[in-house]
Amino acid sequence: MRELTIKIKDKKRIKDDVFLMDLYAPEIATRAYPGQFIHIKTDDKITVLRRPISIHAVNKNVISILFRVKGSGTRALSLLSDGDTLNVLGPLGHGFSLKPRKNDAFVNILIGGGMGVAPLMFLAQKLTNKESNIVILGASDKNSVLCEKEFKTLNCKVHVATDDGSRGAKGSVTDLLLDLFNKDGFQGKANIYACGPEAMFCSINSIIADKKNVNCQISYEQFMGCGTGICCGCTVKTKTGYKKACKDGPVFNIREIW
Amino acid sequence: MKLDVKIGRVKLELPVVCASGTFGFAEELKNLVDFSKIGAVITKTVTLDMREGNPPPRIFDTGCGVINAVGLENPGVKDFIEKKLPAMRKVSVKYIFSVGGFSVREYSDVISKVDKFKEIACYELNLSCPNLQLKRIVSQDPDAIYKLVRKVRKETNKPIIVKITPEVSDITETAYAAECAGADAVSLVNTFFAMAININTFRPVLGNVTGGYSGRAIKPMALYRVWKVYEKVKIPIIGGGGIENADDAVEFLLAGASIVSLGTVNLVHPNIANDIVAGIKSYMDKNNIKTLKRLIGKAHEK
């Protein structure tokens, strides 16, 4: 891991406040694995600290990030243009474990609530047996659904839930998850990979609480300082004490936290 | 050009150090940082027993500074010796060991346990953590500083640096108390009391409610305190607060710091000491200043 200056190859506004940015970064592209992030320094006049952004996808020498303009850091990032450079540290963090279970009967379920979809595309790129991967996307309405087409291109089975029912099922991603377990069951065997708001993690946890053969990894967000484990700023409360989102995470086993 | 500087009998090859809490125990950064350009690393503060630290969130970027409330999370002195010290030996840099505690006794106890290790060149007594929910910080009280430093002075022959809080009406009194008690240097400033509130949730942002402010926003206030302390004490000053580049560092040297400390900036650019050392050298070249001694406190010349 080094401090790198990388170039913005392509910036696209894909929703009102959501941007997809392709960055030319061979050093990161070759070493990153799903669930890891890059730590970006934006305009010094606007931010002091770096901002952690998960790696959304990797294609040869190019990494992509997908972000919503939420605060000063992401706003500064959204104002940059093709050809501009970014100072980054990365790849950082402990990402998703892709180790397939010995038994192929396990199905992969990727759950992205809102912007939580960001790290899951890279994961879907890396998971084998893509045909059997299920992706559940949640959004407030049909205009806010992210990456549905892209996951289908990777041959994933995509289910969508929107709060107002304007696309897919009306309700939440966890309603859909519960449906899947009730209908299909997968004999209770599944690997869940999830990213989204805390309330979503809470309900996933209650759905799988009694399912011993369901493993669930979540990507957890926290205000972050250095990104390298030294400042102890991005603490996450787990059952075995405080851990660091930047180094022990951002991916944790859901049962470590709830 | 030689830039070496002394704290007591210990010589630092360069007058740039990494402040406690912003560089871990150095070994965590061994693949990222060129340690040959760092005068010393001041370790994360170690207390007698391990401390879990404060509840999250612990850190917040205001856009012009950083508020933190880590609360001295650290492995405790036993785990420090068993787990951290062996890894630190693999990094070639001078270490200043930062000690924290809740009583005079605790400072002495920690030092007595680590004093035999030659890797530790000096001690920095952290008498200024703002995040401990105490009624008063030791370094707000000149008498308390004096008593503590006198006692600790008897425990070790290694140089003692006293890190003091800027949150006093007259920082020259607290710095002077440290000098009178036998400290070899004073280190200033620690963070300023601060907080942030999330207007959408109506709640304070930090888990600890309040925190300590650092980063570029505090630079003028920190510089003022170094200036004042320089007029009062004879021992060297480790000065810092919001330094981000060589020009900032030079300002602190001109104000009277013998050594500059980098803090918040390390969290963003862990290798910045390299640039800052190079920048100090080229500033001295350009202004025909041959020795560091000529630069230290130069702004006080009339």
Side-chain angles (χ1 to χ4, degrees), chain B residues 53-94:
Chain B
N54 286 327
R58 292 178 172 183
I59 194 160
F60 182 72
D61 184 345
T62 67
C64 44
V66 174
I67 311 176
N68 90 80
V70 171
L72 294 191
E73 173 178 336
N74 81 91
V77 72
K78 186 169 174 284
D79 268 23
F80 166 78
I81 294 168
E82 285 168 15
K83 294 180 183 150
K84 288 292 171 185
L85 200 55
M88 287 161 63
R89 288 189 180 115
K90 292 178 188 149
V91 178
S92 174
V93 73
K94 206 152 263 174

Short mmCIF file of all heavy atoms in Angstrom, two decimals, chain B residues 53-94:
data_model
loop_
_atom_site.label_atom_id
_atom_site.label_comp_id
_atom_site.label_asym_id
_atom_site.label_seq_id
_atom_site.Cartn_x
_atom_site.Cartn_y
_atom_site.Cartn_z
N GLY B 53 -10.99 2.71 25.26
CA GLY B 53 -11.23 4.00 24.62
C GLY B 53 -12.70 4.37 24.65
O GLY B 53 -13.52 3.66 25.22
N ASN B 54 -13.01 5.50 24.00
CA ASN B 54 -14.37 6.03 24.04
C ASN B 54 -15.29 5.37 23.02
O ASN B 54 -14.82 4.83 22.03
CB ASN B 54 -14.32 7.54 23.78
CG ASN B 54 -13.78 8.31 24.97
OD1 ASN B 54 -14.01 7.92 26.12
ND2 ASN B 54 -13.06 9.38 24.72
N PRO B 55 -16.62 5.47 23.25
CA PRO B 55 -17.56 4.93 22.26
C PRO B 55 -17.51 5.71 20.95
O PRO B 55 -17.22 6.90 20.95
CB PRO B 55 -18.93 5.09 22.94
CG PRO B 55 -18.74 6.11 24.00
CD PRO B 55 -17.30 6.05 24.42
N PRO B 56 -17.78 5.03 19.83
CA PRO B 56 -17.81 5.72 18.54
C PRO B 56 -19.07 6.56 18.39
O PRO B 56 -20.01 6.34 19.14
CB PRO B 56 -17.82 4.56 17.54
CG PRO B 56 -18.42 3.40 18.27
CD PRO B 56 -18.05 3.60 19.71
N PRO B 57 -19.09 7.49 17.44
CA PRO B 57 -17.98 7.93 16.58
C PRO B 57 -16.93 8.71 17.38
O PRO B 57 -17.26 9.38 18.35
CB PRO B 57 -18.66 8.86 15.56
CG PRO B 57 -20.12 8.60 15.65
CD PRO B 57 -20.37 8.13 17.02
N ARG B 58 -15.70 8.60 16.92
CA ARG B 58 -14.59 9.20 17.65
C ARG B 58 -13.88 10.31 16.90
O ARG B 58 -12.99 10.96 17.45
CB ARG B 58 -13.53 8.13 17.93
CG ARG B 58 -13.96 7.07 18.90
CD ARG B 58 -12.82 6.08 19.00
NE ARG B 58 -13.05 5.11 20.05
CZ ARG B 58 -12.16 4.17 20.37
NH1 ARG B 58 -11.02 4.09 19.70
NH2 ARG B 58 -12.41 3.31 21.33
N ILE B 59 -14.19 10.46 15.63
CA ILE B 59 -13.42 11.43 14.86
C ILE B 59 -14.35 12.16 13.90
O ILE B 59 -15.29 11.57 13.38
CB ILE B 59 -12.26 10.70 14.12
CG1 ILE B 59 -11.23 11.68 13.59
CG2 ILE B 59 -12.76 9.78 13.02
CD1 ILE B 59 -9.87 11.05 13.30
N PHE B 60 -14.11 13.46 13.72
CA PHE B 60 -14.97 14.26 12.85
C PHE B 60 -14.15 15.35 12.18
O PHE B 60 -13.37 16.04 12.81
CB PHE B 60 -16.10 14.88 13.69
CG PHE B 60 -17.07 15.68 12.88
CD1 PHE B 60 -17.97 15.06 12.03
CD2 PHE B 60 -17.07 17.06 12.95
CE1 PHE B 60 -18.85 15.79 11.25
CE2 PHE B 60 -17.97 17.82 12.18
CZ PHE B 60 -18.86 17.18 11.34
N ASP B 61 -14.36 15.47 10.87
CA ASP B 61 -13.65 16.45 10.06
C ASP B 61 -14.53 17.69 9.93
O ASP B 61 -15.63 17.62 9.40
CB ASP B 61 -13.40 15.81 8.67
CG ASP B 61 -12.57 16.68 7.74
OD1 ASP B 61 -12.40 17.88 8.01
OD2 ASP B 61 -12.10 16.14 6.72
N THR B 62 -14.08 18.83 10.46
CA THR B 62 -14.89 20.05 10.36
C THR B 62 -14.66 20.78 9.05
O THR B 62 -15.30 21.78 8.78
CB THR B 62 -14.55 21.04 11.49
OG1 THR B 62 -13.21 21.52 11.28
CG2 THR B 62 -14.65 20.40 12.86
N GLY B 63 -13.71 20.32 8.27
CA GLY B 63 -13.37 21.01 7.02
C GLY B 63 -12.14 21.89 7.18
O GLY B 63 -11.46 22.20 6.23
N CYS B 64 -11.87 22.29 8.43
CA CYS B 64 -10.64 23.07 8.66
C CYS B 64 -9.87 22.53 9.86
O CYS B 64 -8.87 23.09 10.29
CB CYS B 64 -10.95 24.55 8.83
SG CYS B 64 -12.34 24.89 9.87
N GLY B 65 -10.34 21.43 10.40
CA GLY B 65 -9.66 20.79 11.51
C GLY B 65 -10.34 19.47 11.81
O GLY B 65 -11.31 19.10 11.15
N VAL B 66 -9.82 18.78 12.81
CA VAL B 66 -10.36 17.47 13.16
C VAL B 66 -10.66 17.42 14.65
O VAL B 66 -9.81 17.81 15.46
CB VAL B 66 -9.34 16.35 12.80
CG1 VAL B 66 -9.81 14.99 13.29
CG2 VAL B 66 -9.12 16.31 11.28
N ILE B 67 -11.86 16.98 14.99
CA ILE B 67 -12.19 16.78 16.41
C ILE B 67 -12.09 15.29 16.69
O ILE B 67 -12.66 14.48 15.96
CB ILE B 67 -13.62 17.25 16.75
CG1 ILE B 67 -13.88 18.65 16.18
CG2 ILE B 67 -13.83 17.25 18.25
CD1 ILE B 67 -15.31 19.12 16.40
N ASN B 68 -11.35 14.93 17.73
CA ASN B 68 -11.29 13.50 18.06
C ASN B 68 -11.58 13.29 19.53
O ASN B 68 -11.38 14.16 20.36
CB ASN B 68 -9.93 12.91 17.69
CG ASN B 68 -8.93 13.00 18.84
OD1 ASN B 68 -8.95 12.19 19.77
ND2 ASN B 68 -8.09 14.01 18.80
N ALA B 69 -12.10 12.10 19.81
CA ALA B 69 -12.31 11.67 21.19
C ALA B 69 -12.01 10.18 21.27
O ALA B 69 -12.90 9.36 21.48
CB ALA B 69 -13.73 11.97 21.63
N VAL B 70 -10.76 9.85 21.03
CA VAL B 70 -10.36 8.43 21.05
C VAL B 70 -10.35 7.92 22.49
O VAL B 70 -10.78 6.80 22.77
CB VAL B 70 -8.99 8.25 20.37
CG1 VAL B 70 -8.46 6.84 20.57
CG2 VAL B 70 -9.10 8.57 18.88
N GLY B 71 -9.88 8.74 23.40
CA GLY B 71 -9.91 8.36 24.81
C GLY B 71 -8.81 7.40 25.23
O GLY B 71 -9.02 6.50 26.04
N LEU B 72 -7.61 7.61 24.65
CA LEU B 72 -6.43 6.83 25.04
C LEU B 72 -6.60 5.32 24.90
O LEU B 72 -6.11 4.56 25.73
CB LEU B 72 -6.01 7.15 26.49
CG LEU B 72 -5.49 8.55 26.79
CD1 LEU B 72 -4.88 8.59 28.20
CD2 LEU B 72 -4.46 9.02 25.78
N GLU B 73 -7.28 4.88 23.85
CA GLU B 73 -7.28 3.44 23.57
C GLU B 73 -5.83 2.98 23.45
O GLU B 73 -5.05 3.57 22.71
CB GLU B 73 -8.02 3.16 22.26
CG GLU B 73 -7.91 1.69 21.85
CD GLU B 73 -8.67 1.37 20.56
OE1 GLU B 73 -9.61 2.07 20.22
OE2 GLU B 73 -8.28 0.38 19.92
N ASN B 74 -5.46 1.97 24.19
CA ASN B 74 -4.10 1.44 24.08
C ASN B 74 -4.01 0.07 24.74
O ASN B 74 -4.87 -0.29 25.53
CB ASN B 74 -3.08 2.42 24.70
CG ASN B 74 -3.00 2.33 26.20
OD1 ASN B 74 -2.20 1.58 26.76
ND2 ASN B 74 -3.86 3.08 26.90
N PRO B 75 -2.98 -0.72 24.38
CA PRO B 75 -2.94 -2.11 24.84
C PRO B 75 -2.53 -2.29 26.31
O PRO B 75 -2.60 -3.40 26.82
CB PRO B 75 -1.88 -2.74 23.93
CG PRO B 75 -1.02 -1.61 23.49
CD PRO B 75 -1.90 -0.41 23.43
N GLY B 76 -2.11 -1.20 26.97
CA GLY B 76 -1.59 -1.33 28.33
C GLY B 76 -0.13 -1.72 28.29
O GLY B 76 0.36 -2.24 27.27
N VAL B 77 0.58 -1.46 29.37
CA VAL B 77 2.05 -1.57 29.31
C VAL B 77 2.51 -3.02 29.12
O VAL B 77 3.51 -3.27 28.43
CB VAL B 77 2.71 -0.90 30.54
CG1 VAL B 77 2.50 -1.68 31.82
CG2 VAL B 77 4.20 -0.67 30.29
N LYS B 78 1.78 -3.98 29.66
CA LYS B 78 2.21 -5.38 29.55
C LYS B 78 2.18 -5.83 28.07
O LYS B 78 3.15 -6.36 27.56
CB LYS B 78 1.29 -6.26 30.39
CG LYS B 78 1.71 -7.71 30.47
CD LYS B 78 0.91 -8.44 31.54
CE LYS B 78 1.21 -9.93 31.54
NZ LYS B 78 0.54 -10.64 30.43
N ASP B 79 1.05 -5.59 27.41
CA ASP B 79 0.94 -5.95 26.00
C ASP B 79 1.85 -5.10 25.13
O ASP B 79 2.32 -5.55 24.09
CB ASP B 79 -0.51 -5.82 25.52
CG ASP B 79 -1.24 -7.14 25.67
OD1 ASP B 79 -0.81 -7.97 26.50
OD2 ASP B 79 -2.24 -7.34 24.94
N PHE B 80 2.08 -3.87 25.55
CA PHE B 80 3.02 -3.04 24.81
C PHE B 80 4.38 -3.74 24.77
O PHE B 80 5.00 -3.88 23.71
CB PHE B 80 3.17 -1.65 25.45
CG PHE B 80 4.37 -0.90 24.93
CD1 PHE B 80 4.33 -0.26 23.70
CD2 PHE B 80 5.57 -0.87 25.66
CE1 PHE B 80 5.45 0.38 23.19
CE2 PHE B 80 6.69 -0.22 25.17
CZ PHE B 80 6.64 0.41 23.92
N ILE B 81 4.83 -4.20 25.93
CA ILE B 81 6.16 -4.84 26.01
C ILE B 81 6.18 -6.15 25.22
O ILE B 81 7.12 -6.43 24.48
CB ILE B 81 6.55 -5.08 27.48
CG1 ILE B 81 6.76 -3.75 28.19
CG2 ILE B 81 7.81 -5.95 27.58
CD1 ILE B 81 6.87 -3.84 29.70
N GLU B 82 5.09 -6.91 25.35
CA GLU B 82 5.11 -8.24 24.72
C GLU B 82 4.83 -8.19 23.23
O GLU B 82 5.37 -8.99 22.46
CB GLU B 82 4.07 -9.14 25.41
CG GLU B 82 4.57 -9.61 26.77
CD GLU B 82 3.46 -10.25 27.60
OE1 GLU B 82 2.41 -10.59 27.03
OE2 GLU B 82 3.67 -10.39 28.82
N LYS B 83 3.93 -7.29 22.82
CA LYS B 83 3.49 -7.35 21.42
C LYS B 83 4.01 -6.20 20.56
O LYS B 83 4.37 -6.40 19.41
CB LYS B 83 1.97 -7.37 21.35
CG LYS B 83 1.44 -8.67 21.93
CD LYS B 83 -0.07 -8.74 21.90
CE LYS B 83 -0.54 -10.03 22.56
NZ LYS B 83 -1.85 -9.87 23.18
N LYS B 84 4.03 -5.01 21.10
CA LYS B 84 4.40 -3.86 20.27
C LYS B 84 5.90 -3.68 20.17
O LYS B 84 6.46 -3.46 19.09
CB LYS B 84 3.75 -2.58 20.82
CG LYS B 84 2.26 -2.51 20.59
CD LYS B 84 1.97 -2.36 19.11
CE LYS B 84 0.49 -2.51 18.82
NZ LYS B 84 0.23 -2.48 17.36
N LEU B 85 6.57 -3.75 21.31
CA LEU B 85 8.00 -3.47 21.34
C LEU B 85 8.82 -4.35 20.38
O LEU B 85 9.67 -3.83 19.64
CB LEU B 85 8.51 -3.59 22.78
CG LEU B 85 9.82 -2.89 23.12
CD1 LEU B 85 9.78 -1.40 22.77
CD2 LEU B 85 10.15 -3.07 24.60
N PRO B 86 8.55 -5.67 20.33
CA PRO B 86 9.32 -6.49 19.38
C PRO B 86 9.15 -6.03 17.94
O PRO B 86 10.11 -6.03 17.16
CB PRO B 86 8.73 -7.90 19.57
CG PRO B 86 8.11 -7.88 20.92
CD PRO B 86 7.63 -6.48 21.15
N ALA B 87 7.95 -5.60 17.58
CA ALA B 87 7.72 -5.12 16.21
C ALA B 87 8.40 -3.77 15.98
O ALA B 87 8.91 -3.49 14.90
CB ALA B 87 6.22 -5.00 15.94
N MET B 88 8.42 -2.95 17.05
CA MET B 88 9.05 -1.63 16.92
C MET B 88 10.55 -1.74 16.68
O MET B 88 11.15 -0.89 16.03
CB MET B 88 8.78 -0.81 18.19
CG MET B 88 7.35 -0.30 18.30
SD MET B 88 6.89 0.17 19.98
CE MET B 88 8.00 1.53 20.32
N ARG B 89 11.14 -2.80 17.21
CA ARG B 89 12.60 -2.98 17.04
C ARG B 89 12.98 -3.13 15.58
O ARG B 89 14.12 -2.89 15.19
CB ARG B 89 13.06 -4.24 17.80
CG ARG B 89 13.04 -4.03 19.28
CD ARG B 89 13.70 -5.18 20.04
NE ARG B 89 13.62 -4.88 21.45
CZ ARG B 89 12.92 -5.58 22.34
NH1 ARG B 89 12.28 -6.67 21.98
NH2 ARG B 89 12.86 -5.21 23.60
N LYS B 90 12.02 -3.58 14.76
CA LYS B 90 12.33 -3.81 13.34
C LYS B 90 12.29 -2.51 12.53
O LYS B 90 12.60 -2.52 11.35
CB LYS B 90 11.34 -4.81 12.75
CG LYS B 90 11.54 -6.20 13.34
CD LYS B 90 10.54 -7.19 12.81
CE LYS B 90 10.66 -8.51 13.57
NZ LYS B 90 9.38 -9.20 13.67
N VAL B 91 11.88 -1.42 13.17
CA VAL B 91 11.84 -0.14 12.47
C VAL B 91 12.98 0.72 13.00
O VAL B 91 13.14 0.86 14.21
CB VAL B 91 10.50 0.58 12.72
CG1 VAL B 91 10.48 1.94 12.03
CG2 VAL B 91 9.34 -0.27 12.24
N SER B 92 13.76 1.26 12.08
CA SER B 92 14.91 2.04 12.51
C SER B 92 14.51 3.51 12.67
O SER B 92 14.54 4.30 11.73
CB SER B 92 16.03 1.88 11.49
OG SER B 92 17.07 2.74 11.82
N VAL B 93 14.10 3.86 13.89
CA VAL B 93 13.73 5.24 14.19
C VAL B 93 13.88 5.44 15.69
O VAL B 93 13.84 4.47 16.45
CB VAL B 93 12.28 5.55 13.72
CG1 VAL B 93 11.24 4.89 14.59
CG2 VAL B 93 12.02 7.05 13.63
N LYS B 94 14.06 6.66 16.10
CA LYS B 94 14.16 6.95 17.53
C LYS B 94 12.75 7.01 18.12
O LYS B 94 11.86 7.60 17.51
CB LYS B 94 14.89 8.28 17.73
CG LYS B 94 15.58 8.39 19.06
CD LYS B 94 16.78 9.31 18.98
CE LYS B 94 18.07 8.51 18.80
NZ LYS B 94 19.23 9.33 18.57
#
